[in-house]
């Protein structure tokens, strides 16, 4: 009886000591070590890839933002503010209840197949809107000019970047709205175009937030 109690006490003590050691190692030392290494080697990424403008954090390079006009009375969907470069459709072309207006509660897409009649109609309407919004005197936009990322949201609905083709399609409209030379705006797009990772992975992309911050600075200096 005494041996049984003694053995149980020893096992309980060993278990408690192991729990204490593992708690300190995995719950304190390891997290602090990983946090310290991340802060030392990759401080920007460790802190959320923050983007600053005018001395304050205005967003993250990983999360897209909407550039819309204030809602008018009776409106449910805001109109895009056309003086800014626009990102990908942020809410499944207006009918996705999973993620709207780049809200960060959760992410997701429409989950509709490519031949879904409703999705096809959304794409047609979105393409017509892109053509209308970006056609300026002397520089009309044709439906065939509209790239896929201009009329489809990403899988998360939070994509912060667009293709160089979509950015270039918006150049003349942005230049006109801001009173800037189209050539200077196109150069701005080129300056903010990121190439493929390691030269072969992914596709070239343009971060819309970073581009619009640079656009704001350019417009202020004109």
């Amino acid at each position: 009886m005494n041996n049984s109690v003694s053995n149980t006490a020893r096992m309980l003590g060993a278990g408690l000591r192991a729990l204490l050691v593992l708690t300190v190692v995995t719950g304190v030392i390891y997290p602090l070590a990983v946090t310290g290494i991340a802060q030392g080697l990759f401080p920007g990424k460790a802190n959320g890839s923050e983007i600053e403008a005018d001395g304050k954090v205005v967003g993250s390079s990983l999360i897209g933002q909407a550039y819309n006009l204030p809602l008018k009375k009776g409106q449910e969907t805001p109109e895009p503010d056309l003086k800014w470069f626009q990102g990908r459709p942020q809410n499944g072309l207006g009918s996705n209840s999973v993620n709207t207006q780049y809200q960060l509660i959760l992410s997701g897409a429409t989950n509709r197949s490519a031949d879904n009649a409703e999705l096809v109609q959304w794409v047609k309407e979105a393409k017509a809107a892109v053509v209308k919004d970006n056609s300026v005197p002397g520089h009309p936009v044709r439906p065939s000019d509209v790239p896929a990322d201009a009329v489809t949201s990403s899988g998360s609905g939070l994509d912060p970047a667009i293709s160089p083709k979509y950015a270039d399609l918006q150049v003349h409209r942005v230049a006109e709205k801001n009173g800037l030379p189209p050539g200077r705006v196109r150069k701005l797009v080129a300056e903010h175009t990121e190439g493929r990772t390691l030269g072969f992975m992914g596709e070239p992309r343009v971060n819309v937030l970073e581009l619009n911050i640079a656009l704001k600075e350019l417009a202020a200096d004109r």
Side-chain angles (χ1 to χ4, degrees), residues 96-181:
N96 177 17
S97 61
V98 176
N99 177 46
T100 60
Q101 302 303 316
Y102 287 118
Q103 292 177 5
L104 305 183
I105 298 175
L106 65 156
S107 64
T110 61
N111 203 33
R112 286 173 167 79
S113 63
D115 61 353
N116 178 272
E118 194 173 20
L119 179 61
V120 171
Q121 184 60 34
W122 291 347
V123 170
K124 288 181 179 178
E125 292 173 358
K127 182 174 287 191
V130 170
V131 169
K132 178 179 176 292
D133 289 343
N134 292 282
S135 292
V136 299
H139 294 89
V141 174
R142 299 166 299 178
S144 59
D145 296 330
V146 180
D149 62 310
V151 295
T152 56
S153 57
S154 64
S156 69
L158 303 174
D159 198 335
I162 57 177
S163 65
K165 184 175 180 180
Y166 185 29
D168 189 63
L169 181 144
Q170 301 182 63
V171 163
H172 285 283
R173 182 254 298 161
V174 169
E176 181 185 67
K177 295 290 184 181
N178 289 278
L180 295 167

Side-chain angles (χ1 to χ4, degrees), residues 198-219:
L198 299 179
F200 67 94
M201 292 191 296
E203 295 294 333
R205 59 206 304 266
V206 183
N207 187 287
V208 179
L209 175 56
E210 294 175 352
L211 180 60
N212 279 331
I213 290 173
L215 173 65
K216 181 181 178 182
E217 295 172 352
L218 180 62

